[in-house]
Every structure is written in C-alpha cells, then in structure tokens.
C-alpha cells in the first residue's frame, strides 16, 4: 500500500528541515567572517518567517500519513496551528537573541542554527502528531538538540554541567514515558490516539484497568519531566542559569509548549475515558508545581534563576485547566505566558546582570528595556495594565471552578498572591533611582525586546484573539 502525502500539511516542518541543512552547508563552505554569522542568522529567520506564513495560511483540518480504517498520524487543526505559531514566533525571538550571543565568537554559528532549526521542526511537528510513535520522535527531536545547544559554548564548565543534567533528566523522562506508552500499546494493540481511545472504550478485559492506569500515570510522569512539573522540576534552575540565555528562553517557551502539547494530546485524545484516573493526578501536580515554584522563586536573587522558578510556577497554572479536561484554557494561558516570558528573557539578554539589584534604575537609564521588563513582570503577576496576564488567570480560574475543583482554585489564589511579591519586588527595583552604568547590548537583542514587547502589548490590547483562534 502506498500512502499519499499532503505536502501542504507538512510544509512548515519541511521548510525548517531544509533550512537546517542549508545553514549547515553554508557554514561549511563560506569563509569565517562576522558578516557570515549575520547572514546565517538572517537565513534562519527567513525560514521561520516562511514556515509561520505557511502555518497561518493553513485552514481547516488537513490529514496525512493515514492508514485506512485506523487513523492518521499527522493532523493539522486549530490547536496545531496555535502551538506551531507559538513555537515559530518564539523561535524568531530566540534567533534574534542568538545573533547577539553569537557575536561573541565562542559558539560555532552553523551548528547553533542547525540545532535550533531542528528543535523548532520537532516543536512544529509534535502538536500535529496523532500516534504514539510520532509523538515520541517529535518530542525527542525537540529535546536532543537542546542538550548540544546548552553545551555548545566553548570552555564553559557551567554550560557543560547544565547540559549533562538536562541529558540525564531527559533520558529518565523518556524511559518512563516509553514504558507507559508500551503498556498502552500492549493493552490496546494500537498506536494512533483515536484508535487507543476506541479500544479502551470497549468492554474491559480482565486485569486491563490497573495496567492502563499505570500506563497513564507513567505517561503523565514522563511529560512532567519535560514541562518541569513538581516533583520532576529539580533540574530547571541550574540548567536555565548554566545555558546561554537564548537556550534558556527556548527551554522556557518552546520546549515547555511542546511538552504541554504532547501531554494534552495523549490525555484528551487517547485517554479521555480514563479521565477519572489522570485528572486527580494532574490537579495535585498543578497545586504542587505552582506552590513549589512560587515559594522557591521568593528566595532568588539571580534574574535567570528567578525566571526559571517562575516558569515552574507558571506550569502549574497551565496544568490546572487540564485537570478539568479543558485543553483550550490551558493553551490560551500558555500562549500568554510565552509572550510575557520571552519579553523578560529578551530584556535580561539585552541588559545582563548577575543580581536583581543590578536592574535598579533601569527605567530611567534605559526606558525601553525598563518599561518592557516591567510590563512583562506585571503581566506574569496578573495585574493591570497587564491585561493579558489578568485575562489568562481569569480564564483559568473560571474553568477550574466550573470543573468542580474549588480547592485548586483556592490554591491558585494563594499562589497568585505569593507570586505578586517577587514580581512586584523586581518591578520596584526598575523604578528605583540608581547611578550604575548599563552594559551595552547588540542591536538584535534590542530588536528581540521590541518584537516580544509588541506581541505582549498586542495580547493585552486584544486577549480575546487567542481564544478566537482556538475556536
């Protein structure tokens, strides 16, 4: 049997894959000059823009790699478009940040952009995956290049340590998830998500219930490592701090979004009939994740470590609506969080300091960067005028309460108050007068600040656009 392939459906990851090969070839044959670094960055950025245009142009539902009477392995729908657009938009900001990072000359440029494009190709493929095999392969395509990106800076012991920690954690998480996947396949005899759901809806086989429950728990645990959910979070702060800032931004947005996309797909499409098993687990994980992340963020004085623990806490807020089987609210919150977090990382890249006190007086010294960071932090805290963050939290609270998880809504409310402390404390420093000199940043880093801030402000002006896109 010969499968027909819808090349328009797979155009976005195909563009990224071809661009990755092109960048590597150009780096191998072009002379090592500063202008070549910029040219390779522009090629990468052009590929992301082209892939984003394809994603935006895709309408309706498109399916390919289909097996008759079984299902399709690759499906493009509204949720796929949102996750793919999120990954590509975040990738563009990461490329701009990378152009500033690579100007220092201690990182191989061709390899950097090749690995970055490979990771983004996996992030675009994953939300369209509709069978377990493609899900795992796409998730590893997101994860494996990040190890190398973390350790690619020469003579950087902290980066090598961070890469090793990330590698060990990812291997363990993949092993746990694969064991859960194997249990689901063994019980159902299917790899397509719809086929698994249909098989589990049949009259229960003797002894199948406990096996399915264990499989579901292990799949959740495997994805828990990827999204840094408690108790699988211990790697986050050290890896974020040890990695180059563009890689930390990639981990906090693109890698996390890919992990959530996979988790949502498996739980809502393959295991909807097992919701009674996994919803209490996800609810407890959400409560623990937001609480531990916020409490540990209170003690941080390094900006990247604070953003790392803040990212852990925000994962808890994304998990909360998943516990009510509401994927739309989780996706909307993830999109808002991504825009604000990228803005914060862009400013930290443009104006680097080792302590939060280094940002005192940033608004008076560098008004654009200071106001952009203040806006991002206020949005993450969920305060006006950061309407995007406020809107996102209201959506999540509404769905959690409507789902009958009042206790989780109370935990969210308490954690929102806890989070206000460190977000407002950092924001207050930005407006405190200081005479410290500000380190110069490259032009691409400032462009990244502008792009990320524009998106964040746009979401605050019209937050309903995200929900409208999700349909």
């Amino acid at each position: 049997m010969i499968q027909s392939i819808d090349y328009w459906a797979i155009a976005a990851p195909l563009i990224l894959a071809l661009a990755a090969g092109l960048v590597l070839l150009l780096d191998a044959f072009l002379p090592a000059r500063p202008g070549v670094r910029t040219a390779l960055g522009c090629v990468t950025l052009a590929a992301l823009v082209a892939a984003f245009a394809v994603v935006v142009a895709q309408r309706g539902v498109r399916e390919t790699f289909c097996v008759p009477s079984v299902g399709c392995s690759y499906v493009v729908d509204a949720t796929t478009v949102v996750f793919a657009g999120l990954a590509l938009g975040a990738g563009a900001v990461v490329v701009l940040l990378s152009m500033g990072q690579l100007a220092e000359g201690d990182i191989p440029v061709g390899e950097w952009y090749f690995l970055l494009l490979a990771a983004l190709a996996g992030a675009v493929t994953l939300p369209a995956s509709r069978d377990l095999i493609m899900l795992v392969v796409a998730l590893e395509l997101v994860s494996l290049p990040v190890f190398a990106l973390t350790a690619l800076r020469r003579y950087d012991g902290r980066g090598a340590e961070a890469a090793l920690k990330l590698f060990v954690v990812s291997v363990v998480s993949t092993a746990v998830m694969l064991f859960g996947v194997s249990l689901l396949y063994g019980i159902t005899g299917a790899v397509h998500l719809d086929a698994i759901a249909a098989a589990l809806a049949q009259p229960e086989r003797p002894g199948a219930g406990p096996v399915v429950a264990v499989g579901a728990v292990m799949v959740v645990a495997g994805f828990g490592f990827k999204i840094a959910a408690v108790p699988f979070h211990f790697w986050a702060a050290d890896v974020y701090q040890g990695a180059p800032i563009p890689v930390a931004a990639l981990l906090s947005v693109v890698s996390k979004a890919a992990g959530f996309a996979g988790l949502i797909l498996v739980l809502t499409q393959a295991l909807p009939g097992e919701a009674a098993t996994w919803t209490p687990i996800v609810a407890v994980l959400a409560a623990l994740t937001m609480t531990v992340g916020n409490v540990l963020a209170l003690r941080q004085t390094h900006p990247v470590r604070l953003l790392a623990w803040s990212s852990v806490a925000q994962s808890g807020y994304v998990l909360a609506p998943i516990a009510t089987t509401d994927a739309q609210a989780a996706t909307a919150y993830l999109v808002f969080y991504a825009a604000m977090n990228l803005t914060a990382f862009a400013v930290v890249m443009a104006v680097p300091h080792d302590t939060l006190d280094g940002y005192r007086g940033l608004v008076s010294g560098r008004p654009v960067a200071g106001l952009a960071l203040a806006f991002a932090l206020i949005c993450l805290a969920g305060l006006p005028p950061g309407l995007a963050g406020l809107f996102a939290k209201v959506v999540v609270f509404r769905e959690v309460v409507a789902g009958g998880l009042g206790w989780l809504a109370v935990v969210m409310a308490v954690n929102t108050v806890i989070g206000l402390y460190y977000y407002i404390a950092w924001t207050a420093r930005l407006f405190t007068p200081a005479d410290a000199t500000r380190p110069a940043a490259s032009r691409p880093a400032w462009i990244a600040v502008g792009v990320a801030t524009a998106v964040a402000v746009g979401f605050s002006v019209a937050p309903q656009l995200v929900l409208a896109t999700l349909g």
Side-chain angles (χ1 to χ4, degrees):
M1 181 182 65
I2 299 176
Q3 287 186 340
S4 61
I5 302 176
D6 184 350
Y7 286 99
W8 178 247
I10 63 171
L14 197 58
I15 289 171
L16 297 177
L18 292 174
L22 176 62
V23 165
L24 206 57
L25 287 174
L26 290 175
D27 180 65
F29 291 102
L30 292 177
R33 296 175 181 172
V36 173
R37 294 195 190 102
T38 304
L40 293 179
C42 291
V43 170
T44 304
L45 200 58
L48 292 177
V49 171
F52 187 83
V54 168
V55 168
V56 172
Q58 288 174 332
R59 302 292 182 184
V61 178
R62 305 188 70 94
E63 301 176 339
T64 189
F65 302 118
C66 298
V67 178
S69 72
V70 176
C72 296
S73 297
Y74 195 96
V75 178
V76 177
D77 55 17
T79 302
T80 302
V81 169
V82 170
F83 273 106
L86 169 62
L88 293 169
V93 175
V94 171
V95 169
L96 291 171
L97 295 177
S98 300
M99 294 171 76
Q101 181 80 50
L102 297 175
E104 300 175 6
D106 58 347
I107 297 176
V109 179
E111 289 89 334
W112 177 278
Y113 286 125
F114 170 80
L115 292 167
L116 180 57
L117 284 167
L120 291 172
V124 172
T125 302
L126 194 145
S129 302
R130 293 298 185 272
D131 72 56
L132 295 175
I133 297 173
M134 183 169 283
L135 267 174
V136 173
V137 171
L139 189 60
E140 291 309 298
L141 184 56
V142 178
S143 302
L144 292 176
V146 179
F147 308 153
L149 287 170
T150 304
L152 208 55
R153 189 163 48 193
R154 296 187 181 100
Y155 313 116
D156 183 7
R158 180 173 289 178
E161 179 187 352
L164 181 60
K165 289 181 179 179
L166 186 59
F167 173 75
V168 172
V169 168
S170 184
V171 167
V172 172
S173 67
T174 301
V176 171
M177 184 170 58
L178 283 175
F179 192 75
V181 165
S182 68
L183 290 176
L184 295 178
Y185 173 73
I187 289 294
T188 63
V191 293
H192 289 84
L193 303 184
D194 292 341
I196 292 173
L200 293 177
Q202 300 299 319
E204 186 177 351
R205 303 173 187 176
V211 176
V212 173
V214 172
V217 170
M218 299 193 78
V219 168
V220 171
F223 280 110
F225 279 100
K226 303 293 185 183
I227 62 177
V230 175
F232 318 110
H233 66 291
F234 50 85
W235 58 272
D238 290 340
V239 171
Y240 279 47
Q241 186 178 7
I245 290 180
V247 178
L250 184 74
L251 279 168
S252 73
V253 176
V254 177
S255 182
K256 190 182 292 288
F260 273 112
L263 180 64
I264 289 171
L265 284 173
V266 172
L267 294 182
T268 62
Q269 297 202 19
L271 301 172
E274 305 300 317
T277 299
W278 57 259
T279 50
I281 297 173
V282 173
V284 172
L285 286 180
L288 289 174
T289 300
M290 64 180 75
T291 302
V292 172
N294 278 318
V295 170
L296 291 178
L298 291 173
R299 303 181 56 190
Q300 304 307 313
T301 58
H302 193 285
V304 175
R305 291 185 71 89
L306 188 148
L307 289 175
W309 290 119
S310 165
S311 178
V312 171
Q314 298 292 339
S315 292
Y317 297 122
V318 181
L319 282 169
I322 298 177
T324 66
T325 69
D326 188 339
Q328 186 184 46
T331 305
Y333 191 94
L334 187 62
V335 171
F336 291 127
Y337 152 79
M340 311 314 159
N341 217 48
L342 281 174
T343 303
F345 270 107
V347 175
V348 170
M349 175 74 187
V351 190
H353 287 289
D354 290 333
T355 65
L356 297 179
D357 287 334
Y359 290 89
R360 290 184 181 276
L362 184 61
V363 171
S364 59
R366 294 186 182 273
V368 174
L371 291 175
L373 180 57
F375 183 76
L377 294 174
I378 289 173
C379 284
L380 288 171
L383 293 175
L387 297 182
L390 178 62
F391 178 81
K393 280 188 168 57
V394 169
V395 168
V396 170
F397 270 107
R398 181 187 65 194
E399 297 305 324
V400 169
V401 172
L405 296 177
W407 68 269
L408 183 56
V410 172
V411 173
M412 285 185 62
V414 173
N415 276 280
T416 299
V417 175
I418 295 173
L420 289 177
Y421 173 79
Y422 59 85
Y423 287 129
I424 293 178
W426 192 359
T427 304
R429 286 178 170 91
L430 303 178
F431 293 90
T432 302
D435 297 327
T437 59
R438 304 295 172 190
S442 62
R443 181 177 297 178
W446 288 112
I447 296 175
V449 172
V451 171
T453 304
V455 174
V457 172
F459 282 164
S460 287
V461 172
Q464 287 285 0
L465 287 177
V466 175
L467 289 181
T469 303
L470 289 170

